Amino acid sequence: MKKEFWRKMGLSEEEYGMIKGILGREPNEVELGIFGVMWSEHCSYKNSKAVLRSFPTTGERVVQGPGENAGVLDIGDGQGVVFKIESHNHPSAIEPYQGAATGVGGIIRDIFTMGARPIASLNSLRFGSLKSKRSRYLFSGVVAGIAGYGNCIGIPTIGGEVYFHPSYEENCLVNAMCIGLIDIKDIAKGVAQGPGNPVLVVGAKTGRDGIHGATFASEELNEKSEEKRPAVQVGDPFMEKLLLEACLELIKTGYVVGMQDMGAAGLTSSSSEMASRAGTGMEMDIAKVPRRETGMTPYEIMLSESQERMLVVAKSGAEKAVQDIFAKWGLEAVVIGKVTDDGYLTVKEGDEVAARIPAKALTEMCPVYAKEAKKPEYLIKAQEYDLSTLPELGDYGQVIMTLLGTGNIASKEWVYRQYDYMVGLNTVVGPGSDAAVLRIKGTNKGIAATTDCNARYVYLDPYQGGQIAVAEAARNLVCAGALPLGVTDCLNFGNPEKPEIFWQFKEAAAGISEACRTLDTPVTGGNVSFYNETKGESIYPTPVIGMVGLLEDISRVMTMGFKDEDDIIILLGESKDELGGTAYLSVIHGLEAGKPPSIDLEAERIIQRTTLALIKEGLVKSAHDCAEGGLSIALAECCMAGGIGADVVLSEEMKASSLLFAESQSRIIVTAHKEKMDKVLSRLSINKVPYKVLGNVGGEDLKITGSGWKVRLAVCDMEEKYRGAIACYMDM
Amino acid sequence: MRFGVVVFPGSNCDADCYHVIDKVLAEPVEYLWHGDRDLKEVDCVILPGGFSYGDYLRVGAIARFSPVMEKVLEHAAEGGLVIGICNGFQILTEVGLLPGALVKNPSLKFQCHNTRLRVERNDLPFTSLYKKKEIVEIPIAHGEGSFVADEETLGLLEKENRVVFRYCDENGEITGIANPNGSLNNIAGICNEKGNVLGMMPHPERCAEEMLGGLDGEILFRSLAGWRQGGDVA
């Protein structure tokens, strides 16, 4: 076979040799195409697998860890929370609306494939500067795509994060997360068990869209990427809504043996993975696959990534019952083959064999690479940057206002007002808070969820940045009153073939791993997205952490807004003189340098557990994490969310810029009624949590006093700046 | 009062309406399948929000041809109660039970947020427990909720006092700034001549429990539940 052909499939010479060895012959074009997608990084994780093995993936609540369509955690009473995050970066950079929409559609399918009803979506988005026209185009298209799909299918988009940085100018990041709820006994898996059982394609018809999407996702973007627009799929949320209802109705009947979404690599991945997991084979006649175009070749049918399709293995004899349910929802369910016991994926077109490959060759036998890792040059320079020479700006009030008006800190209202975040009647705390909170109907419980990553920290110290991403996600959940339970991660990096990029990846993964162990939040699955580069320039390393937590008693849900006059404001944790990697440094001084804030995971754990106890006992009235922008911005956010001012004194011996804008980790602002203050403080002392009483809630202004300086800002002025900033860029 | 919630393909607030009636009000409620010509003898039919038939062609345009709608028309003609919320309102205008149309928001975006409404009439089965001119907060969630009608129709609606809810500010004033979607005369909800069919864009089912954002919408459902059967409609 011609070299150009397997090269085009993204395979190396060695890989081509291995394939010949496995088959004992030359593969034909269909087979090579199948190997090409299944051995792509996107499907096989061949470059990342070795590193991902370090993640803690077990725990008493883990019902399903990595390897299935989504992870499942036990939340008691026989119920499980099903969740996963996935990237759709490259399609979104080419065609933002459809790229983002199908990202949402894909992750929702991963959830209901497990038999769970999806109850909420979140996302994590990165774009270039808001000043750039292209970034605004991508940003508005992506948000519209998420809204278009999520709103129509009727699953609320309850939270997420949006960041802007020039490194994402060409290669935006679109990570979509979905959460579902299931009775653990009803979990369905992607297994093709029971030779002789029928295999059905259900849902939408197959077309030529999205062919080679998975391969496309495993290379860098370049000038020619625009030509790959046909590799971007087109979503139909209405079709998926029908598919969702039909699949959940089907699962209740008990006729399902196994079920899998046809996502990346479509029929190819779903069939080979289902067979491989069950240790069986599968024989399919693709002439029977319903198509929306004529003249499709076996190659195209096997590699199509047409959306809203599932592969179902049913119990023998239940074909008619399955078809009736789908017909009720106006959908097709067509038997295309059966489970076999020979371990082979056999693809026929009528009587002719188009491909015949051992199923495990496509999954388990994919080579795993240990890539070379090397500490990048830029790091040494950036970390050694001398921050002591920075000029101290006088007008701190102005700095706070400037920070409140930057895209990364400003309210994301412009975004989430486009999302239906209420449908489903579970949203107790919606977007714009530390974490979103859902009630679980029929119980007193709630689920909290968040997505987090400060990529600037990861860029400046991947290991520490990875730790902080996990710690911050957990802290956000705690501030909502939830016990952090587990993690799904979306690791967005550049080209792993570059040793510097692979080093970032390895270090960040090690940091995440360490933090997940200490904070007792195992990883139940996720996604790796490499090759986020344009013209050789990588994005900032962005390992996004999606985390879910549990509220045993939803009536104890906590919010960040200050509540009443005269409540006492207490800062938990230690404030340090560390301005490295801060928003202040970036926005005000145009510098992305220094070491990111330090973190002590054990101290973090204690502060989180203490805060949670204070909330559970009803001792505090608000809780908010100190993050981007530091203490001053966190205080401003508490004031704005509560619609009330505060009077605060910062007495530490430290320069004002550090007191106000350092992003020291493991800090939480809480408020308490003054009669409960002593009790709170004694709890903090017992648990050895460092704290400072900062002042009290009240008035219409945020007043911060230091030694020799003062800030006074009207809450309504801050709010105008904070809420209007993004709209100002987008609607003008 | 027996309620029925119609399920079209693509309805997504059907379960929400059902939940409020079943769990919050503890009143009897049935799902009504779009393909069945059977209203299961309910007293009040709810056409819920969502994207019936994917909103293809035009919002509500396909749903109006569903078999169940034949029965809904008969039910309404006999004086039975019908309420269309969001997509349900759009369907009611398409099927001709209510005048006017709902078009794209001038922002060209989907908008999901709270709105303030002034209750213009409290002599209807839907609003009997509200105070007249009461200001309530009920959220909207739509991309196509801008109410339009020709001048004559609009004049008639006003003359016959058929505007039930209007977007207003915190003082109950009907202002441009309080109007989230450019609806003519700030119209958020209207009824038919007899007052037994109501269409509204805001979602009362989303604020029927304290934990989820207040009880202003629950009053509407409670008004209905308490309405004397066969009662005299306005």
Side-chain angles (χ1 to χ4, degrees):
Chain A
M1 185 160 295
K2 285 207 182 106
K3 192 173 183 174
E4 293 76 50
F5 194 74
W6 45 261
R7 274 276 166 81
K8 215 174 108 194
M9 298 290 138
L11 294 163
S12 69
E13 186 151 13
E14 296 74 42
E15 287 169 347
Y16 181 63
M18 283 176 70
I19 291 167
K20 280 197 291 188
I22 289 168
L23 296 178
R25 61 178 164 82
E26 288 267 339
N28 62 31
E29 283 193 17
V30 180
E31 289 166 338
L32 205 56
I34 290 174
F35 271 105
V37 284
M38 290 306 293
W39 285 16
S40 71
E41 171 60 29
H42 190 83
C43 289
S44 72
Y45 297 99
K46 61 187 170 189
N47 296 310
S48 50
K49 226 178 208 169
V51 171
L52 300 179
R53 283 189 188 125
S54 71
F55 286 155
T57 57
T58 54
E60 56 184 25
R61 288 188 185 269
V62 178
V63 178
Q64 178 64 58
E68 264 291 342
N69 290 299
V72 186
L73 295 170
D74 191 336
I75 54 168
D77 303 323
Q79 284 182 310
V81 55
V82 183
F83 67 115
K84 191 168 181 203
I85 193 167
E86 210 161 69
S87 64
H88 234 217
N89 304 337
H90 284 189
S92 304
I94 302 292
E95 167 39 48
Y97 186 99
Q98 289 299 343
T102 52
V104 172
I107 198 67
I108 290 172
R109 280 197 301 283
D110 277 335
I111 301 306
F112 71 78
T113 303
M114 300 291 291
R117 179 165 285 279
I119 55 168
S121 291
L122 292 95
N123 51 67
S124 173
L125 312 176
R126 301 286 185 293
F127 303 94
S129 164
L130 271 170
K131 292 190 182 107
S132 132
K133 208 174 152 197
R134 174 174 162 80
S135 293
R136 292 199 301 271
Y137 156 75
L138 290 176
F139 177 38
S140 62
V142 163
V143 170
I146 292 171
Y149 207 101
N151 297 350
C152 180
I153 196 168
I155 296 166
T157 305
I158 58 167
E161 51 167 12
V162 187
Y163 278 96
F164 305 94
H165 187 274
S167 79
Y168 308 104
E169 174 75 21
E170 296 296 328
N171 194 135
C172 61
L173 300 185
V174 175
N175 296 176
M177 173 170 164
C178 187
I179 302 175
L181 199 60
I182 196 169
D183 286 333
I184 287 171
K185 63 175 173 39
D186 293 337
I187 291 176
K189 293 193 178 178
V191 288
Q193 272 162 346
N197 279 335
V199 177
L200 296 94
V201 170
V202 304
K205 289 187 190 343
T206 299
R208 286 196 172 92
D209 48 336
I211 291 174
H212 273 292
T215 327
F216 167 48
S218 305
E219 21 174 87
E220 290 177 28
L221 291 174
N222 55 38
E223 297 83 3
K224 286 192 175 157
S225 296
E226 191 68 15
E227 292 169 14
K228 297 202 168 146
R229 203 183 278 264
V232 179
Q233 315 86 335
V234 177
D236 179 353
F238 173 58
M239 175 64 83
E240 178 138 315
K241 167 75 176 165
L242 302 178
L243 186 62
L244 159 68
E245 297 300 338
C247 286
L248 292 183
E249 192 172 325
L250 175 65
I251 282 171
K252 283 212 186 84
T253 62
Y255 293 139
V256 177
V257 174
M259 189 153 90
Q260 181 148 338
D261 160 38
M262 289 198 216
L267 188 52
T268 295
S269 65
S270 50
S271 57
S272 54
E273 285 172 12
M274 286 181 83
S276 173
R277 280 195 202 106
T280 57
M282 200 181 278
E283 189 182 300
M284 301 180 289
D285 178 1
I286 49 166
K288 292 180 177 155
V289 174
R291 276 159 273 181
R292 58 169 171 250
E293 296 178 57
T294 52
M296 286 183 74
T297 63
Y299 178 86
E300 289 171 327
I301 295 167
M302 286 306 288
L303 297 184
S304 161
E305 292 188 9
S306 289
Q307 298 288 291
E308 291 93 24
R309 301 177 301 157
M310 305 274 255
L311 196 65
V312 174
V313 174
K315 283 183 181 157
S316 190
E319 293 88 340
K320 175 78 171 56
V322 174
Q323 283 163 340
D324 284 348
I325 288 174
F326 280 86
K328 177 186 157 190
W329 292 98
L331 298 174
E332 282 186 285
V334 177
V335 178
I336 62 159
K338 59 175 193 285
V339 178
T340 61
D341 57 6
D342 62 4
Y344 273 82
L345 181 69
T346 306
V347 181
K348 287 184 173 172
E349 191 183 26
D351 291 331
E352 215 159 297
V353 174
R356 188 166 156 81
I357 307 168
K360 282 199 195 300
L362 296 170
T363 55
E364 290 167 21
M365 286 161 80
C366 175
V368 174
Y369 299 109
K371 290 279 173 192
E372 190 194 337
K374 189 177 146 226
K375 189 169 177 176
E377 293 288 332
Y378 79 84
L379 253 184
I380 301 154
K381 231 172 100 186
Q383 288 188 350
E384 281 175 356
Y385 195 92
D386 181 10
L387 297 175
S388 65
T389 60
L390 282 180
E392 189 77 1
L393 301 175
D395 192 347
Y396 301 112
Q398 189 51 48
V399 174
I400 293 174
M401 290 298 273
T402 304
L403 288 173
L404 287 174
T406 58
N408 290 342
I409 291 175
S411 162
K412 305 303 182 290
E413 195 178 282
W414 183 89
V415 176
Y416 63 71
R417 276 165 73 113
Q418 298 183 52
Y419 301 150
D420 187 342
Y421 53 86
M422 308 173 190
V423 63
L425 300 190
N426 298 315
T427 312
V428 175
V429 179
S433 298
D434 285 315
V437 179
L438 299 167
R439 63 143 173 215
I440 302 173
K441 288 195 191 93
T443 74
N444 289 324
K445 294 184 296 193
I447 297 173
T450 182
T451 56
D452 276 293
C453 177
N454 184 322
R456 202 185 300 122
Y457 297 167
V458 188
Y459 173 74
L460 292 172
D461 186 334
Y463 181 76
Q464 214 161 291
Q467 289 185 323
I468 292 175
V470 176
E472 195 185 331
R475 212 182 303 136
N476 282 334
L477 297 184
V478 163
C479 287
L483 174 70
L485 295 186
V487 164
T488 178
D489 57 5
C490 199
L491 310 175
N492 307 276
F493 288 81
N495 181 349
E497 289 150 40
K498 296 180 184 167
E500 290 82 4
I501 299 290
F502 199 74
W503 185 85
Q504 289 178 334
F505 173 68
K506 244 175 97 168
E507 288 287 304
I512 289 169
S513 210
E514 172 77 22
C516 285
R517 268 177 232 282
T518 310
L519 300 177
D520 197 17
T521 51
V523 178
T524 65
N527 169 229
V528 178
S529 172
F530 281 137
Y531 302 96
N532 292 292
E533 298 203 0
T534 320
K535 295 173 194 148
E537 286 294 313
S538 167
I539 57 157
Y540 266 16
T542 314
V544 173
I545 301 299
M547 198 182 279
V548 294
L550 178 68
L551 290 98
E552 293 285 356
D553 179 359
I554 189 78
S555 72
R556 288 289 187 209
V557 63
M558 190 47 58
T559 52
M560 68 189 206
F562 287 154
K563 301 292 181 305
D564 300 301
E565 295 268 344
D566 297 330
D567 284 346
I568 309 293
I569 304 169
I570 307 160
L571 175 67
L572 278 52
E574 239 177 304
S575 300
K576 297 172 195 160
D577 189 355
E578 40 189 13
L579 283 174
T582 57
Y584 166 77
L585 211 56
S586 165
V587 174
I588 306 298
H589 295 282
L591 271 177
E592 310 220 304
K595 273 193 174 265
S598 58
I599 182 159
D600 173 344
L601 290 171
E602 193 48 34
E604 176 80 49
R605 194 180 69 84
I606 292 168
I607 281 179
Q608 289 189 14
R609 295 297 143 111
T610 307
T611 305
L612 207 50
L614 293 174
I615 293 171
K616 275 187 178 164
E617 289 176 55
L619 292 173
V620 293
K621 292 166 80 171
S622 74
H624 183 38
D625 160 44
C626 275
E628 282 245 277
L631 180 59
S632 59
I633 295 301
L635 286 166
E637 287 165 344
C638 295
C639 288
M640 290 186 288
I644 193 167
D647 196 344
V648 162
V649 177
L650 303 180
S651 55
E652 278 112 321
E653 288 291 315
M654 207 187 292
K655 62 176 185 279
S657 56
S658 293
L659 280 173
L660 293 167
F661 308 115
E663 294 171 12
S664 295
Q665 291 299 298
S666 317
R667 292 189 302 169
I668 294 173
I669 300 171
V670 300
T671 54
H673 189 275
K674 55 187 171 194
E675 281 167 17
K676 290 192 174 163
M677 180 170 85
D678 289 343
K679 210 165 179 184
V680 172
L681 298 187
S682 81
R683 281 302 154 79
L684 296 175
S685 302
I686 292 168
N687 287 0
K688 299 197 174 68
V689 170
Y691 68 84
K692 277 264 166 3
V693 176
L694 297 182
N696 51 275
V697 175
E700 289 174 354
D701 300 335
L702 169 61
K703 290 181 268 185
I704 310 176
T705 311
S707 75
W709 56 268
K710 228 179 199 156
V711 171
R712 182 175 184 150
L713 296 165
V715 176
C716 59
D717 291 343
M718 293 194 296
E719 202 168 350
E720 198 182 322
K721 187 90 180 167
Y722 178 73
R723 289 178 60 180
I726 290 181
C728 200
Y729 279 107
M730 301 308 292
D731 295 340
M732 292 299 146
Chain B
M1 174 82 53
R2 280 166 55 82
F3 290 84
V5 181
V6 175
V7 182
F8 296 103
S11 290
N12 61 30
C13 301
D14 47 345
D16 294 357
C17 290
Y18 189 100
H19 167 83
V20 168
I21 296 161
D22 182 39
K23 298 287 187 232
V24 180
L25 261 60
E27 293 285 327
V29 54
E30 300 273 359
Y31 280 120
L32 307 173
W33 186 245
H34 67 99
D36 298 340
R37 288 178 179 80
D38 181 6
L39 295 188
K40 300 185 182 170
E41 294 177 352
V42 300
D43 305 304
C44 177
V45 174
I46 299 178
L47 303 180
F51 290 69
S52 58
Y53 295 91
D55 273 359
Y56 291 137
L57 193 58
R58 190 173 63 236
V59 289
I62 305 179
R64 64 163 287 199
F65 293 108
S66 284
V68 74
M69 287 307 292
E70 293 170 20
K71 290 287 161 189
V72 172
L73 284 171
E74 284 173 21
H75 177 75
E78 289 160 6
L81 297 175
V82 179
I83 170 171
I85 300 166
C86 199
N87 189 227
F89 185 12
Q90 294 163 344
I91 296 167
L92 288 176
T93 62
E94 284 289 336
V95 78
L97 280 174
L98 292 173
L102 285 313
V103 300
K104 244 187 204 328
N105 300 340
S107 68
L108 302 182
K109 291 188 177 71
F110 191 95
Q111 288 171 232
C112 177
H113 51 83
N114 247 341
T115 57
R116 277 196 200 86
L117 306 175
R118 193 172 76 190
V119 183
E120 303 287 67
R121 285 181 67 167
N122 66 348
D123 58 343
L124 296 171
F126 311 97
T127 55
S128 60
L129 296 180
Y130 288 107
K131 291 192 251 334
K132 186 143 194 215
K133 302 287 175 189
E134 185 173 344
I135 302 164
V136 295
E137 276 192 37
I138 301 183
I140 55 166
H142 59 244
E144 299 175 50
S146 186
F147 182 81
V148 293
D150 58 61
E151 229 167 276
E152 197 184 334
T153 308
L154 198 63
L156 199 67
L157 281 173
E158 294 292 358
K159 195 175 139 228
E160 294 178 349
N161 196 21
R162 284 163 55 189
V163 177
V164 184
F165 297 105
R166 257 186 248 271
Y167 301 109
C168 69
D169 68 11
E170 67 268 36
N171 302 314
E173 299 298 324
I174 307 305
T175 63
I177 221 155
N179 187 347
N181 55 20
S183 291
L184 293 178
N185 295 9
N186 283 40
I187 287 174
I190 55 171
C191 64
N192 64 347
E193 283 163 49
K194 286 195 289 181
N196 62 322
V197 177
L198 170 73
M200 63 190 294
M201 287 313 294
H203 286 267
E205 79 279 10
R206 294 189 179 188
C207 46
E209 289 170 90
E210 196 60 63
M211 187 193 289
L212 301 182
L215 295 169
D216 285 358
E218 189 241 9
I219 300 173
L220 183 143
F221 291 99
R222 219 154 25 84
S223 299
L224 278 167
W227 189 255
R228 190 161 46 85
Q229 275 190 37
D232 206 352
V233 176

